[in-house]
Amino acid sequence: MSDHPAEMLKDIHSHHQAAADRDQAEHRKALARHSEALARHSARVTALRQERDRARAERRWWTWARTSVVTWHTQQRRPRPPAVRQARPAAMPRDVADQEAILTAGITGEHIVAADLGAVLGDEWTLLHGYRNRRGEIDHVLLGPRGMFTIEVKYRNATVDVDGDQWRFCKYDHYGNLVEQGWITDRRGRFPSVQLNEPTAELERFLRSRNHPVRARRAVILTHPRSALGRCRNITVDLIATSTGRLTDLISESPAVFGTTQVLELQKLVVHDHQFNQRRMAR
């Protein structure tokens, strides 16, 4: 599958290649270290949750209370992602540098979700990154026995308010003063829920045409460690959350709907449709 933000980032740096290569290499190393730390953290949290749930089922209330507290504190110590590089070559135009920062942040956020899911889901699950069709791109398409999940990732250091398909952010300083606010949109002016719903609906339409009437569960994940949700009402996706843990909860609460053969068939169809659209857009 494609890595569209990374491709765009490469294009932006065409005139600053040497410096960018060094910076990106260091960033990739930092992401790899962060991925390992996230995997260890997720495994620890999963083990604690299982211990807590066993204690509750067996009515061992003292153990349940203790593990609940330990689980909560462990979750709060989630490894922070590497800082998005803000330095820019002197000759780089400001608008190009700003776009670079946005794309690098997007890559970081998508990496966090992929690492989190990889740490808790088994081999029966497949994560496809960067699926694209004529209505847009989906950061992650997750396929497994409990269904198909489409995921939009936003790495935003802000409090996010949602009303229907309108998304607004407010950023505060350490003293609680509002320092920045505005709409959250992509380059086409679409809010995150629209950005996810439009290509997801197109993917569902394609799968129906191939005799697979699948309804995808749709999730927008805010991955920045200081992301927060404000007022959310009339939301048009299945989940808006500030951690991948809420997504894994949604997955675990979903009934089993696909067998192994159907998961493999769906995977092949999604990849085929992505490749078809890539060729079409390249003409």
Side-chain angles (χ1 to χ4, degrees), residues 82-121:
V84 176
R85 185 177 62 84
Q86 297 297 330
R88 52 179 71 117
M92 183 180 290
R94 176 170 293 275
D95 58 341
V96 172
D98 289 343
Q99 189 177 4
E100 174 207 16
I102 292 170
L103 292 170
T104 304
I107 294 169
T108 300
E110 292 169 17
H111 174 86
I112 290 170
V113 171
D116 280 357
L117 292 175
V120 299
L121 297 179

Side-chain angles (χ1 to χ4, degrees), residues 115-145:
D116 280 357
L117 292 175
V120 299
L121 297 179
D123 293 339
E124 69 274 19
W125 289 90
T126 299
L127 186 66
L128 303 174
H129 171 61
Y131 163 84
R132 274 195 279 182
N133 60 34
R134 65 187 183 91
R135 301 301 299 275
E137 178 176 2
I138 300 174
D139 291 333
H140 297 298
V141 177
L142 179 66
L143 284 165

